[in-house]
Amino acid sequence: MPTAGQAVLRGVAQVAFSASPWTGLLFTAGLFATDWRIGLFGLLGAAASTAAAAVLGADRDGLAKGREGYCGCLTAIALVVRHGASWRTALLAVAAGAVCPVIAAAGARLLGGIGLPALTAPFCLVAGALTRALPTGAPVLTTPPDRTGFTTLTATELAYAFCDNIGQVFFLNTWYAGPILLAGLLAVSRKAAAAAACGSGVAVLTSCALGLPAERIREGFYGYNAVLVALALGATFLPSTLWTTGYAALAVVSSVPLTAAWSAFVQPFGGAAFTWPFVVTTWLFLAAAPALDLSPGAAAREAPHPAPATPPP
């Protein structure tokens, strides 16, 4: 049985479908390297969510593998990024983290019957509700930028975009966070690291082809969902074949305009896309897989966080 510290680190790692405490440790290093407050809140959220799930009687194997901690981790980071570090934000992060396993259990009950994982939907629901309940300022209406064709980036901007696509999975906007997170994946799985890298690269090219704003591409706002989609479909839920690799690449490409559209839709209301584009894209492509003879095999059934166990009555 792993220690509580290992379970929390695995909860951080499960954001990228890994159950390795070494991945979690490197991910945590990337969080602290960007801002110690982000690192602290990430651990706090993962710990609160894991502890609440344990009290509620969640599956012990899932707890040990960190499946109950990743949504709490992301929710706490979203709170500190949006509202800043304070004792009030810390209390809110703990409370929000405790709610995540309840919503995850409900999601498991609803989605399990159709064979879909909950993914980060509990995080999106909790963070989205708090974003609307605790606005940080008046909504800003902006005029969409003119599209002039393919967006051209310098070599340096392309490198920054590649790194920031990975870092933005954890709301990190420093270029060096991406390589640290990628190292965390590489330490355990070359397949996962390759999927994340390819997802980021494809997202940059797709964003440029769509003529999206250069600054937003460079900051990774259109690519982080693509990285998660690549990890889910290219390295976790589908068997590794040439066809499924192409299928995953199509999903990665699809997630980019969905991210742009989702962000544009919620911006006037002061909302955020969070990882909804990743969740919806992955659900759609997984649901379609059996009809296309690409149904998930054993890899999907043993995936890191298909669905947390439902607490007993």
Side-chain angles (χ1 to χ4, degrees), residues 101-150:
V102 177
I103 297 179
R109 178 66 64 86
L110 294 172
L111 295 169
I114 56 176
L116 293 179
L119 303 174
T120 54
F123 149 65
C124 292
L125 289 170
V126 175
L130 292 175
T131 296
R132 295 299 298 131
L134 304 169
T136 57
V140 178
L141 294 174
T142 58
T143 302
D146 293 332
R147 302 294 167 81
T148 57
F150 192 92

Side-chain angles (χ1 to χ4, degrees), residues 18 20 33 35 39 58 61 63 83 88 91 135 152 193 251 262 265 288 291 312:
S18 173
S20 168
D35 191 310
D61 183 63
L63 284 168
H83 299 284
R88 292 183 180 86
L91 289 177
T152 302
W262 205 298
F265 176 74

Side-chain angles (χ1 to χ4, degrees), residues 36-37 40-41 44 79-80 83-96:
W36 67 268
R37 292 165 294 187
L40 185 62
F41 269 75
L44 177 65
L79 286 171
V80 71
H83 299 284
S86 69
W87 66 268
R88 292 183 180 86
T89 309
L91 289 177
L92 189 60
V94 171

Side-chain angles (χ1 to χ4, degrees), residues 54 59 74 98 119 159-160 185 232 241 275:
D59 175 63
L74 289 175
L119 303 174
Y160 278 134
L185 291 172
T241 68
T275 56

Side-chain angles (χ1 to χ4, degrees), residues 40-298:
L40 185 62
F41 269 75
L43 292 175
L44 177 65
S49 188
T50 301
V55 172
L56 292 171
D59 175 63
R60 294 186 65 183
D61 183 63
L63 284 168
K65 293 180 179 178
R67 294 175 187 168
E68 303 290 353
Y70 64 98
C71 284
C73 172
L74 289 175
T75 301
I77 293 174
L79 286 171
V80 71
V81 168
R82 187 174 179 86
H83 299 284
S86 69
W87 66 268
R88 292 183 180 86
T89 309
L91 289 177
L92 189 60
V94 171
V99 171
C100 283
V102 177
I103 297 179
R109 178 66 64 86
L110 294 172
L111 295 169
I114 56 176
L116 293 179
L119 303 174
T120 54
F123 149 65
C124 292
L125 289 170
V126 175
L130 292 175
T131 296
R132 295 299 298 131
L134 304 169
T136 57
V140 178
L141 294 174
T142 58
T143 302
D146 293 332
R147 302 294 167 81
T148 57
F150 192 92
T151 301
T152 302
L153 301 178
T154 66
T156 300
E157 288 172 332
L158 286 171
Y160 278 134
F162 175 85
C163 295
D164 284 346
N165 283 342
I166 301 171
Q168 285 289 354
V169 169
F170 284 95
F171 301 90
L172 306 180
N173 59 1
T174 51
W175 69 266
Y176 49 82
I180 297 175
L181 299 181
L182 198 58
L185 291 172
L186 186 59
V188 177
S189 171
R190 286 180 291 180
K191 179 181 177 181
C198 290
S200 180
V202 170
V204 171
L205 292 176
T206 304
S207 300
C208 290
L210 291 172
L212 297 174
E215 184 62 24
R216 303 288 281 179
I217 298 174
R218 180 251 176 267
E219 293 175 350
F221 285 107
Y222 299 120
Y224 67 96
N225 283 295
V227 171
L228 289 171
V229 169
L231 284 167
L233 298 179
T236 305
F237 292 108
L238 296 177
S240 297
T241 68
L242 181 62
W243 289 108
T244 56
T245 298
Y247 189 66
L250 178 62
V252 169
V253 171
S254 302
S255 71
V256 175
L258 181 58
T259 299
W262 205 298
S263 299
F265 176 74
V266 299
Q267 184 180 12
F269 310 103
F274 295 120
T275 56
W276 275 125
F278 149 64
V279 172
V280 172
T281 300
T282 302
W283 280 347
L284 290 174
F285 275 75
L286 282 179
L292 300 173
D293 198 24
L294 295 167
S295 56

